[in-house]
Amino acid sequence: MPPKAYDATSHLLLTPEDSEAPHRVVRLRELGIGGAPVAEFDEFARDLARLTGAPYAMVNFIDEHRQFFAGLHTPPASGAEPGTAPGRSVPGRVMPRDHGYCPHVIARRRALVLEDVCDYPRFAGNPMVDEIGVRSYLGAPLMDRTGMALGTVCVVAQEPRPWGLQGLQTIKAKAADLVAGILRRERRSP
């Protein structure tokens, strides 16, 4: 098991322990998802970004070591990304497990609303703040019929966002819609 990430100044555990990860990997394999981009999930992420007004949206599956964005929407490339400081990167399909906020959603098994990540010492030091300029996060778990958190759906922005109750209800409803679609795919599989 890789070492946990700690904030050296405050000794906060930044990435929660995830004892369910090995079982999740098995379940994701059974479902045939989590290791490759899925056009349907990219479309879902695009629709989620449009619905929430966020520039970035993801369908994220997490194993013991990494996060994989099987669905990803980023702003159209036209030189520098809007709101991106020089030297900042754009998220790709793979990210270390100890980056970002989705591992917290998996551990909590509940939605997470961070209108301004810098308001929370535990989250302000996350590498995604410096790497792509994340300032706001909204995510919900993808809860399987087995009771397992398969992954997350999330949106991020590079400025604080007042997601509010409407944002929370939207992300939770969209997560439930995606899980229903995943389960329909499972029933159709031979």
Side-chain angles (χ1 to χ4, degrees), residues 113-116 136 159-167:
V113 179
L114 300 171
E115 293 181 344
D116 186 344
S136 188
E159 69 279 333
R161 286 277 176 103
W163 302 111
L165 182 59
Q166 180 64 43

Side-chain angles (χ1 to χ4, degrees), residues 5-132:
Y6 287 91
D7 177 319
T9 59
S10 66
H11 304 290
L12 290 175
L13 178 62
L14 295 179
T15 305
E17 192 170 329
D18 183 8
S19 61
E20 196 173 61
H23 304 290
R24 181 180 316 108
V25 170
V26 170
R27 179 72 178 130
L28 291 172
R29 278 194 205 117
E30 289 172 358
L31 293 168
I33 57 176
V38 176
E40 176 185 336
F41 295 164
D42 283 342
E43 184 178 320
F44 177 91
R46 184 177 54 252
D47 290 344
L48 184 59
R50 181 189 49 74
L51 187 62
T52 61
Y56 299 92
M58 296 82 141
V59 175
N60 187 8
F61 298 107
I62 302 172
D63 67 21
E64 301 100 321
H65 310 290
R66 69 179 188 144
Q67 301 178 64
F68 183 78
F69 301 117
L72 177 64
H73 172 79
T74 61
S78 58
E81 297 296 331
T84 304
R88 288 204 171 132
S89 62
V90 176
R93 295 270 180 184
V94 177
M95 188 164 66
R97 188 179 171 283
D98 64 347
H99 286 48
Y101 308 96
C102 291
H104 295 274
V105 172
I106 291 288
R108 293 163 40 101
R109 304 170 72 79
R110 296 188 351 232
L112 178 62
V113 179
L114 300 171
E115 293 181 344
D116 186 344
V117 300
C118 293
D119 288 344
Y120 303 90
R122 176 179 203 127
F123 299 117
N126 194 284
M128 298 319 308
V129 173
D130 292 332
E131 289 179 20
I132 67 167

